[in-house]
C-alpha cells in the first residue's frame, strides 16, 4: 500500500482497502486461481482463472472506491454478476449444495486477508483492524451478490423449464384437414391458459384450420376464471377465422357452471371430442361411414 509521510493523517479504511486491492490485484488473482471455486470452473486454462480473478478484484476496488462496501446493489458488481452466475452454476451442476458453494466463496477471504496483514505489518493496530474489518465486510457482500445471482439464475431456469412443460402439456392434434384439437388435462391457470391460446392460434394459422376443438374432459374443475380463459380463447380463434368448439363438459362441471351463473351461450359445445369431431366433419361435408352397416353416421 502507498507509503505515508510522517504525521500524515490516515485515509478512510474503505479507500485504503481500495488502494490495497488495486496494488495487489495480480497477487490476489494468482492466489484465487488455485482456490476450488476458480480451479474447478476454469479447467482449461489457469490464465483464464487468473483473468477472472482480476475482474472480481477490480469490481471490489470499484465498490470500495464508491464507499458502498455493504451494498450488494453497488454498480461495481454489475460487471461480474454474469461471471459469478457462471461460476456458481458450474459448481451447482457439479453437485455442490448452496451451502458448499457459499463455503467456497468464503475460502476466497483468507488469501486476501494474509496479503493485507503483510502489507500493514508495520501499521498501527487500529489501522490494521479497521482495514481488515472493511475488507471482510466487502468480501461478505461479494458472497451475498454471488448467492443472489445464483438464486436469480436458478429461478430463471425454473421458469423456463416450467414454460417448456406447459408447452409439452398442451399439444395440438391435427384430427383432419382443417380440424385441430387441444386436449386439456389438469388445472387451467392464467399462465397455462395463455400458452393454450398461443399454441392453438399458431396451429390455426400454420394448418389453415377452419375448426378448433378445445376438449376439457381432463380438466377437473371449471370456475369463473377458467370459463373466462375459455371465452377469450374461443374469441381469439374466431378472430383468426376458425370456429372453436368446446367439448368434454361433464355433468358435474355443467352443474357447477350453472350454479356459478356462467354463461357460455355464445360458445358452441359438444358432449365429447367425438361429437365435436363429427360436427366439424359434417360442416366440411365429410360423411362418416360405418364399415359394418355401410351407412353414413351423422352427428
Amino acid at each position: 500500500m502507498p507509503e505515508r509521510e510522517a504525521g500524515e493523517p490516515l485515509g478512510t479504511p474503505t479507500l485504503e482497502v481500495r488502494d490495497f486491492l488495486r496494488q495487489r490485484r495480480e497477487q490476489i488473482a494468482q492466489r484465487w486461481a488455485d482456490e476450488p471455486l476458480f480451479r474447478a470452473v476454469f479447467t482449461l486454462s489457469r490464465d483464464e482463472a487468473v483473468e477472472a480473478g482480476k475482474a472480481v478484484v477490480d469490481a471490489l476496488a470499484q465498490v470500495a472506491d464508491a464507499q458502498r462496501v455493504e451494498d450488494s446493489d453497488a454498480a461495481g458488481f454489475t460487471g461480474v454478476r454474469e461471471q459469478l452466475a457462471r461460476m456458481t452454476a458450474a459448481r451447482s451442476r457439479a453437485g455442490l449444495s448452496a451451502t458448499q458453494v457459499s463455503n467456497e466463496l468464503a475460502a476466497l477471504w483468507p488469501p486476501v486477508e494474509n496479503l493485507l496483514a503483510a502489507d500493514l505489518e508495520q501499521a498501527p493496530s487500529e489501522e490494521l483492524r479497521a482495514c481488515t474489518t472493511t475488507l471482510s465486510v466487502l468480501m461478505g457482500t461479494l458472497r451475498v451478490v454471488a448467492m443472489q445471482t445464483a438464486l436469480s439464475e436458478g429461478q430463471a431456469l425454473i421458469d423456463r423449464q416450467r414454460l417448456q412443460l406447459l408447452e409439452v402439456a398442451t399439444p395440438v392434434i391435427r384430427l383432419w384437414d382443417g380440424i385441430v384439437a387441444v386436449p386439456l388435462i389438469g388445472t387451467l391457470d392464467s399462465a397455462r391458459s395463455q400458452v393454450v391460446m398461443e399454441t392453438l392460434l399458431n396451429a390455426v394459422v400454420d394448418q389453415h384450420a377452419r375448426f378448433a376443438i378445445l376438449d376439457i374432459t381432463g380438466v377437473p374443475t371449471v370456475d369463473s376464471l377458467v370459463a373466462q380463459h375459455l371465452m377469450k380463447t374461443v374469441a381469439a380463434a374466431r378472430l383468426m377465422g376458425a370456429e372453436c368448439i368446446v367439448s368434454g363438459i361433464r355433468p358435474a362441471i355443467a352443474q357447477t357452471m350453472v350454479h356459478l351463473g356462467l354463461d357460455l351461450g355464445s360458445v358452441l359445445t359438444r358432449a365429447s371430442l367425438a361429437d365435436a369431431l363429427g360436427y366439424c366433419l359434417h360442416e366440411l361435408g365429410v360423411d362418416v361411414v360405418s364399415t359394418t352397416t355401410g351407412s353414413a353416421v351423422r352427428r
Side-chain angles (χ1 to χ4, degrees):
M1 298 177 69
E3 297 290 338
R4 292 190 308 275
E5 298 293 336
E8 182 182 349
L10 297 177
T12 65
T14 304
L15 296 183
E16 288 200 64
V17 166
R18 174 203 63 190
D19 294 339
F20 160 75
L21 291 170
R22 289 174 176 174
Q23 187 174 12
R24 296 300 184 187
R25 176 175 181 260
E26 179 69 30
Q27 293 93 326
I28 294 172
Q30 289 288 346
R31 296 191 181 192
W32 279 356
D34 295 324
E35 292 295 327
L37 182 62
F38 282 83
R39 188 178 66 246
V41 174
F42 301 98
T43 56
L44 297 180
S45 169
R46 188 177 186 279
D47 290 341
E48 186 182 6
V50 172
E51 290 304 314
K54 289 179 181 179
V56 176
V57 175
D58 290 341
L60 293 173
Q62 186 176 344
V63 172
D65 184 55
Q67 302 194 52
R68 298 175 63 183
V69 296
E70 298 182 25
D71 186 3
S72 60
D73 294 323
F77 289 120
T78 302
V80 293
R81 285 185 183 274
E82 183 177 346
Q83 176 179 296
L84 292 172
R86 173 190 171 190
M87 294 167 65
T88 54
R91 300 305 284 146
S92 296
R93 287 195 299 270
L96 273 69
S97 66
T99 300
Q100 290 173 314
V101 174
S102 179
N103 289 339
E104 288 194 349
L105 285 162
L108 301 180
W109 163 241
V112 183
E113 182 185 23
N114 292 337
L115 282 172
L116 179 66
D119 275 13
L120 295 180
E121 185 177 6
Q122 303 300 323
S125 59
E126 291 183 3
E127 180 182 357
L128 174 60
R129 188 182 309 112
C131 289
T132 301
T133 300
T134 299
L135 186 55
S136 175
V137 171
L138 181 57
M139 291 296 295
T141 305
L142 175 66
R143 289 175 65 187
V144 171
V145 170
M147 297 311 296
Q148 285 178 340
T149 304
L151 290 173
S152 177
E153 289 294 317
Q155 185 59 50
L157 176 60
I158 291 173
D159 291 341
R160 289 195 298 271
Q161 291 175 336
R162 181 172 180 270
L163 180 58
Q164 291 170 352
L165 287 173
L166 286 176
E167 292 172 348
V168 171
T170 312
V172 177
I173 302 172
R174 178 176 174 271
L175 299 179
W176 197 268
D177 287 340
I179 305 174
V180 296
V182 179
L184 299 176
I185 299 175
T187 304
L188 277 177
D189 57 16
S190 297
R192 189 180 180 200
S193 297
Q194 184 64 31
V195 172
V196 169
M197 182 184 297
E198 293 176 358
T199 304
L200 181 62
L201 295 182
N202 287 334
V204 167
V205 173
D206 294 341
Q207 302 188 32
H208 307 287
R210 286 183 52 192
F211 297 94
I213 302 172
L214 281 175
D215 184 67
I216 62 172
T217 304
V219 177
T221 58
V222 172
D223 55 18
S224 57
L225 182 61
V226 173
Q228 185 180 20
H229 290 321
L230 291 175
M231 295 289 287
K232 288 181 178 179
T233 302
V234 170
R238 285 175 177 168
L239 289 175
M240 300 299 295
E243 184 174 3
C244 195
I245 303 100
V246 177
S247 66
I249 300 179
R250 293 176 284 109
I253 289 182
Q255 293 179 34
T256 300
M257 295 174 70
V258 171
H259 178 72
L260 293 174
L262 302 177
D263 182 16
L264 295 181
S266 61
V267 179
L268 183 61
T269 61
R270 287 294 183 271
S272 67
L273 178 59
D275 290 335
L277 176 59
Y279 167 82
C280 296
L281 291 174
H282 176 69
E283 291 298 307
L284 290 174
V286 177
D287 289 331
V288 180
V289 179
S290 172
T291 57
T292 56
T293 64
S295 59
V297 180
R298 298 183 182 275
R299 293 180 182 271

